[in-house]
Amino acid sequence: MSQPLCIAIAGLGTVGAGTLRVLQQHGDLLAARAGRPLAVTAVSAKSRTKDRGVSIDDVAWFDDPVAMAREAEADVVIELIGGEDGPAKATCEAALAAGRHVVTANKALLAVNGAGLADAAAQAGKALNFEAAVAGGIPIVKALREGLAGNNITRVYGILNGTCNYILTEMREQRRSFEDVLDEAQRLGYAEAEPSMDVDGIDAGQKLALLSSLAFGSRINFDGVYIEGIRHISLLDIDYAEELGYRIKLLGSAQRTERGLEQRVYPRMVDQRQPIAHVEGAENAVVAIGDFVGNTMFQGAGAGAGPTASAVVADIVDIARDHRTPTLGISAGELESLPEAPIGSHRGPYYVRLMVSDRPGVIADVTAVFRDEAVSIESMIQRARSETEAVPVVLNMHECEEAAMQRALSRIATLDSVVEAPTMIRIESLA
Ligand code: HSE
């Protein structure tokens, strides 16, 4: 058999230890698939002695991942440190500069610094593979870069954050509030103590920026992703969604339009007849639509040691086989800088929930504002009746331009009878 592929791993947290486990457990299978053994020769992590359930006795230890990337006996450096710059970025840069391939699971790093790293990889003639950075174990990077290469991708969208999908599922199935589900997820260690990367949509936005670059041949533009999270979604909205035939999902979506590249992450009302409406719990799913292939949907675990390590190891096997593709599907110099479509130009139907004082004239005031902005109401629900407490009024709005909707909502928020900020959720047509 040929020479082994020598691997240095930077970062031995959940994913790093998982990667070691896959490499150790599937050594023979991977050697057969890759046509050569995969040998871990060096590791670097915060603690040398921590029990990770896998042995690192026979490999070189480095306190400093950047020194390891420069000096270790390695063909490929696996960056599993995390963070958008700092040691993660320095490790990848040092590895490429030293003529080594890089595999990373780090979406934050790539969303912010991916363009420069892809350039550096192209100049070094080395691979920069990142399957694990988007939707964990789902092989969507490979699908877009290779399996769907014959298509113009018209749209890509998906459930890109398992924590948010878990929270929304628990809220609906167990009839619990956002805060309650998040508290419990934090106590059980499913959600981070600082949850904003997940619940404010940033993690999904980073993954979307990578997906849209792969799908549309554009330079990664994370700053161009419009992002809203799920903190404002209440049980009331979830119940109304069900009644109206929708399910609320935090989706990321990207498409090229004549207004520019739309890259958007926000909660949406999704028709319950759509398959993605039924992807529940911590699962991820990505739909890529190609002009020749039509709709393709990929579903699976978006996080966790096993699924993420599965993606890391697939990238390593590609390198061992000498199977190379440009980082983002086309060569770094040919990636286009596409203008971003402003959210104000979005068009679609909307769900609006107002909490109002239940007194004569309230609906007239609200509808007058919508009339002034030429925004048309399709249907309205007001069931509760209370002389003392605010009651919900739910409006299903016909398709209109977002800028007009936002102007109307700003004015409605100032009406005396409207007692809290309006909730607006975009209704998504996934046809
Ligand atoms: N925190 C992410 C999620 C996984 O909940 O899906 C890593 O990106």
Side-chain angles (χ1 to χ4, degrees):
M1 200 173 263
S2 337
Q3 285 293 304
L5 180 85
C6 295
I7 301 164
I9 303 180
L12 291 179
T14 308
V15 180
T19 299
L20 275 176
R21 193 165 304 118
V22 177
L23 291 170
Q24 287 174 6
Q25 204 164 311
H26 284 333
D28 292 343
L29 176 69
L30 292 168
R33 288 195 171 144
R36 59 200 285 205
L38 307 182
V40 178
T41 49
V43 293
S44 174
K46 281 193 189 132
S47 160
R48 189 170 186 171
T49 50
K50 181 177 164 186
D51 180 12
R52 300 177 173 90
V54 277
S55 166
I56 52 170
D57 294 344
D58 299 333
V59 299
W61 172 267
F62 286 80
D63 288 324
D64 176 7
V66 180
M68 181 182 77
R70 269 196 307 259
E71 296 158 21
E73 184 204 340
D75 304 300
V76 51
V77 173
I78 318 297
E79 185 281 301
L80 302 171
I81 301 168
E84 68 181 49
D85 41 33
K89 178 166 176 262
T91 299
C92 293
E93 287 171 342
L96 292 170
R100 307 177 202 281
H101 304 287
V102 170
V103 172
T104 177
N106 188 337
K107 68 227 71 164
L109 170 72
L110 293 176
V112 177
N113 292 301
L117 288 169
D119 286 342
Q123 274 166 30
K126 295 292 161 186
L128 170 60
N129 288 353
F130 62 98
E131 185 63 74
V134 185
I138 301 175
I140 187 62
V141 172
K142 199 169 186 66
L144 284 169
R145 207 159 48 182
E146 297 176 47
L148 299 174
N151 292 264
N152 256 326
I153 302 296
T154 53
R155 193 170 196 210
V156 60
Y157 65 85
I159 294 171
L160 302 175
N161 185 270
T163 304
C164 287
N165 207 47
Y166 170 80
I167 291 173
L168 292 171
T169 302
E170 282 289 295
M171 287 173 72
R172 184 177 62 77
E173 289 181 349
Q174 307 299 329
R175 307 207 35 73
R176 296 164 65 192
S177 70
F178 169 82
E179 291 78 11
D180 191 20
V181 179
L182 176 61
D183 271 2
E184 187 190 64
Q186 286 174 318
R187 262 187 287 114
L188 296 172
Y190 302 152
E192 303 288 336
E194 209 309 85
S196 66
M197 288 296 286
D198 290 320
V199 301
D200 294 326
I202 300 160
D203 173 84
Q206 291 167 340
K207 294 167 185 165
L208 184 69
L210 302 180
L211 281 180
S212 71
S213 176
L214 286 164
F216 305 113
S218 51
R219 281 182 84 78
I220 299 165
N221 179 12
F222 173 60
D223 288 341
V225 183
Y226 177 83
I227 298 176
E228 289 172 19
I230 63 164
R231 288 185 201 261
H232 62 292
I233 303 296
S234 75
L235 200 45
L236 259 181
D237 302 314
I238 285 178
D239 287 346
Y240 277 116
E242 289 294 306
E243 184 177 336
L244 294 165
Y246 299 115
R247 193 148 289 171
I248 300 178
K249 293 288 176 194
L250 182 79
L251 293 190
S253 66
Q255 62 185 341
R256 272 181 100 145
T257 70
E258 64 223 6
R259 300 175 297 280
L261 180 62
E262 287 181 358
Q263 300 185 94
R264 287 162 187 175
V265 173
Y266 44 68
R268 310 171 198 221
M269 295 264 182
V270 176
D271 191 314
Q272 284 171 16
R273 288 168 299 187
Q274 290 288 339
I276 205 162
H278 301 280
V279 175
E280 303 287 19
E283 290 265 291
N284 281 197
V286 182
V287 174
I289 306 171
D291 55 353
F292 281 91
V293 72
N295 273 39
T296 59
M297 178 159 157
F298 305 78
Q299 180 176 348
T308 313
S310 156
V312 169
V313 171
D315 278 347
I316 299 173
V317 169
D318 264 354
I319 290 168
R321 286 170 167 161
D322 242 347
H323 175 65
R324 293 294 141 65
T325 48
T327 303
L328 294 160
I330 60 177
S331 67
E334 285 181 37
L335 295 167
E336 282 184 85
S337 291
L338 297 177
E340 94 200 44
I343 187 68
S345 68
H346 171 82
R347 282 194 72 82
Y350 294 81
Y351 160 99
V352 173
R353 177 176 55 80
L354 308 174
M355 297 303 294
V356 302
S357 312
D358 194 2
R359 57 174 192 248
V362 171
I363 298 301
D365 292 344
V366 168
T367 54
V369 175
F370 283 128
R371 177 204 59 209
D372 293 350
E373 296 296 345
V375 172
S376 171
I377 299 169
E378 183 183 325
S379 63
M380 195 183 82
I381 308 172
Q382 184 199 337
R383 267 200 219 96
R385 178 87 179 92
S386 169
E387 291 184 3
T388 51
E389 284 177 29
V391 296
V393 169
V394 166
L395 300 134
N396 229 338
M397 308 299 298
H398 280 298
E399 178 175 321
C400 67
E401 191 173 72
E402 173 105 6
M405 173 57 71
Q406 292 293 359
R407 282 194 302 272
L409 292 178
S410 305
R411 281 180 58 197
I412 286 169
T414 66
L415 296 173
D416 285 346
S417 48
V418 173
V419 303
E420 59 180 61
T423 295
M424 176 274 275
I425 304 174
R426 298 168 190 90
I427 297 173
E428 184 66 48
S429 156
L430 295 172

